[in-house]
Amino acid sequence: MGVLNLTPDSFSDGGDLLCGAGAVDADALLRRADAMVSEGAAILDLGAESTRPGAEPVPVAVERERIVFALELLKPRFDVVCSVDSSAPEVFEAAAEAGAGLLNDVRALRRPGALAAAAATGLPVCLMHMQGEPGTMQDRPAYDDVVGEVAAFLRARMAAAQDAGIGPDRLLVDPGFGFGKSLDHNCALLRELAALETLGVPVLVGLSRKRMIGALTGREAGERLAGSIAAAALAVRAGARVVRTHDVAATVDAVRVAEAVRG
Ligand code: HH2
């Protein structure tokens, strides 16, 4: 899953795909998408609001406009699933109409109206764990048993989704690396990722260029490729089925090796 951030302020690639006025830069988006698809991405994840700690909220109308514009540009040109990284029910419906193939919600459909809106689209959904809200989630993350609590949260959100009409055949889950987690929490989740396989749906991971990689390697966001690749390989070895990445070519190679070893 290649990351395409249509945001001014994402932590590693913010502003790359927007023009000065905040509109999506069509040429830049097409170039980046084309590169990702030729490097082996099966999914492109479009996000129009940064979730990094302290990011500015984006009005829902702006988020929807950027997402729909990008989908209308990409869908006719690329034979891949276009995923939409959003928590807004208003965006789900518009995205589904514009050809989205997956909803990726870092809030696991907890916004009012999100469960019903996602159900109505008929699309698959990725439910991610996050402790707290983006603005403050890294202030003091705390767990007694991070792996058990993340698994229990995801199980509860799967049950809520099922009640709303979204069965397990339409779900993926994600432990949410870096979302309300210390370095120790992130490492414990990666070490014990296989525990999430008991949920019975595919596991997606987003580790690419994240702060945990920076903490472990001492490197800035643009220099975290090798660390991110190591984390992706470990995650696939432990059962991850989808890897969200900014660096598709290198990650595809690492995933192929880890998959072959996993068997
Ligand atoms: N991480 C980010 C955004 N969306 N979705 C899922 N399912 N899993 C993740 O780990 C995940 C995600 C944050 O990364 P990025 O999009 O690069 O940054 P930003 O939130 O600053 O736009």
Side-chain angles (χ1 to χ4, degrees), residues 6-7 14 34 36 42-43 49 62 64 94 104 115-116 126 135 138 140 150 157 163 178 199 217 220 222 247:
L6 313 169
T7 54
D34 189 44
M36 286 184 165
I43 306 171
E49 179 175 45
V62 174
R64 185 171 49 209
N104 172 27
L115 280 164
C126 178
Q138 289 308 111
R140 213 168 323 184
V150 166
R157 295 313 297 159
D163 289 348
L199 296 172
T217 59
E220 295 302 316
D247 302 288

Side-chain angles (χ1 to χ4, degrees), residues 84-165:
V84 172
D85 189 342
S86 176
S87 300
E90 303 87 334
V91 173
F92 297 165
E93 191 185 339
E97 274 172 24
L102 173 68
L103 302 175
N104 172 27
D105 185 2
V106 298
R107 293 179 182 80
L109 304 181
R110 284 179 292 161
R111 283 231 177 118
L115 280 164
T121 65
L123 294 176
V125 182
C126 178
L127 302 170
M128 197 196 80
H129 175 271
M130 168 164 55
Q131 186 181 78
E133 272 292 313
T136 50
M137 65 188 177
Q138 289 308 111
D139 289 355
R140 213 168 323 184
Y143 302 83
D144 290 326
D145 162 18
V146 65
V147 178
E149 287 170 48
V150 166
F153 170 90
L154 293 173
R155 190 171 287 112
R157 295 313 297 159
M158 286 177 65
Q162 171 102 54
D163 289 348

Side-chain angles (χ1 to χ4, degrees), residues 5 7 12-18 25 28 32:
N5 280 321
T7 54
S12 82
D13 58 353
D16 289 3
L17 302 179
L18 294 185
D25 180 337
R32 182 77 60 89

